[in-house]
Amino acid sequence: MLKISQISCFALLMAAGGCSLTSVKDYFTNKSFGGTSNMPAHASEVKNAGSIVVCRSKQCAPAKLSMSKEYIYNSLLHLFDNNNYQKALICDADASTHTCLENYITLPITAGVAPTYAYIDYVKITDVAVGKGNNRLNLILNYNLTFGGQTPDCTPSKSILFAKSVNHVILEDSGYNCKMTAIGATSVKTVFSIDYIDLDYGFIGGYYSIGLSGPAYGGGSGYMMLRLPKDAYPLAPELQAKKSRNKSQSQPAAIPGINIETEVINASGANEEERAVQIFPINKK
């Protein structure tokens, strides 16, 4: 009498043209059939951004040259607040050029017993609130997740955008639920490590890890872009870069929220890194 695993193999032999699996568990965890382990993706699996690039006034530069984490946090607050109740498009993107490769991100999953793919193409922002500590932003996000031609009912995601340092900004949630099968709910957890912020055009890029656990499980990771319909302007007065009244002054005017680590360029000269810091962004005449 055949064992269950052998019966499963014979069934797969007809559908897939071959079978080398030894048990039912192997089928659900074998990646060649789109399955993954029944565990969500974790933050440790997200690639570290390393350095965040911020674009403002049509110029882009590493944030660590002229900004503080408070500036980045406040800028993101303006950006999300301007786009409250708006849809932010999501796309699979190239990490070096920040251009979209597809108009969605793809996640290999298993729903019940069927290997398939889930897609997320936009998220709707429905609430933006300042969190504790002046480095947390509380967001309510509604992800548009589909799979196998179906759009399951999903609860809103209670997400936190956390600016830990000038080079470490994370958007994550504790998991939101989607009704993807007849029995039970599937938990979907998202971690997004931001490395690119364009305040002029409302783009946010970074490495993501999304995991599903429950009756439907799987997930994926990669690089994606959020494309918000509105930019971050007008920024608050304390976020605006001020013009130096006199380049010969030894100390620039204080700019709340911006940590300028070098002195104004003087007649004795300065290295190129200091020069880049002081003139960013360049004031066009």
Side-chain angles (χ1 to χ4, degrees):
M1 187 173 181
L2 295 176
K3 295 181 179 180
I4 293 177
S5 60
Q6 291 174 315
I7 295 173
S8 300
C9 278
F10 283 127
L12 289 174
L13 183 64
M14 300 298 295
C19 182
S20 60
L21 307 178
T22 59
S23 68
V24 176
K25 181 179 179 181
D26 288 336
Y27 168 70
F28 290 121
T29 59
N30 189 276
K31 292 185 178 181
S32 64
F33 288 93
T36 60
S37 61
N38 192 10
M39 291 294 290
H42 298 287
S44 60
E45 299 176 5
V46 180
K47 183 175 179 180
N48 186 16
S51 178
I52 297 178
V53 172
V54 176
C55 300
R56 59 181 182 180
S57 301
K58 306 300 187 292
Q59 297 176 85
C60 301
K64 62 183 178 182
L65 293 182
S66 63
M67 301 177 192
S68 65
K69 69 176 182 180
E70 289 80 13
Y71 182 93
I72 293 178
Y73 169 79
N74 289 334
S75 298
L76 288 171
L77 172 58
H78 278 272
L79 183 58
F80 277 98
D81 190 52
N82 286 352
N83 287 278
N84 202 5
Y85 309 111
Q86 302 291 323
K87 290 182 179 179
L89 300 180
I90 295 176
C91 72
D92 179 52
D94 179 76
S96 58
T97 61
H98 305 110
T99 56
C100 291
L101 305 177
E102 298 286 353
N103 291 326
Y104 47 81
I105 57 175
T106 305
L107 309 171
I109 67 169
T110 299
V113 297
T116 185
Y117 289 93
Y119 305 92
I120 300 178
D121 58 356
Y122 73 81
V123 59
K124 185 174 181 180
I125 304 166
T126 55
D127 189 50
V128 179
V130 176
K132 296 181 179 179
N134 293 326
N135 60 359
R136 293 173 183 258
L137 189 60
N138 297 326
L139 305 170
I140 301 297
L141 305 177
N142 292 267
Y143 289 93
N144 185 53
L145 184 148
T146 61
F147 75 103
Q150 304 178 56
T151 303
D153 291 330
C154 295
T155 61
S157 167
K158 296 180 180 179
S159 303
I160 295 177
L161 190 151
F162 179 48
K164 184 175 181 180
S165 70
V166 71
N167 286 324
H168 189 189
V169 179
I170 294 287
L171 174 65
E172 64 178 333
D173 56 49
S174 58
Y176 59 94
N177 294 326
C178 290
K179 187 70 174 178
M180 301 178 69
T181 56
I183 301 175
T186 296
S187 177
V188 185
K189 178 175 174 58
T190 304
V191 181
F192 185 36
S193 179
I194 297 172
D195 74 343
Y196 179 79
I197 304 169
D198 192 327
L199 302 176
D200 298 315
Y201 297 101
F203 292 165
I204 300 176
Y207 296 93
Y208 71 88
S209 179
I210 301 176
L212 287 75
S213 61
Y217 57 90
S221 59
Y223 192 90
M224 74 178 190
M225 293 283 292
L226 282 176
R227 297 174 289 171
L228 291 87
K230 299 181 181 180
D231 59 33
Y233 301 103
L235 294 174
E238 63 270 16
L239 298 183
Q240 298 285 1
K242 298 181 180 179
K243 295 182 180 179
S244 298
R245 289 176 294 179
N246 189 345
K247 289 187 177 181
S248 63
Q249 292 178 342
S250 60
Q251 182 68 28
I255 305 176
I258 302 179
N259 180 23
I260 298 179
E261 299 178 350
T262 59
E263 294 183 349
V264 172
I265 302 170
N266 51 41
S268 62
N271 59 39
E272 291 300 320
E273 181 175 341
E274 290 176 329
R275 186 178 298 275
V277 169
Q278 293 306 319
I279 64 173
F280 179 81
I282 298 173
N283 294 319
K284 298 181 180 180
K285 296 182 179 180

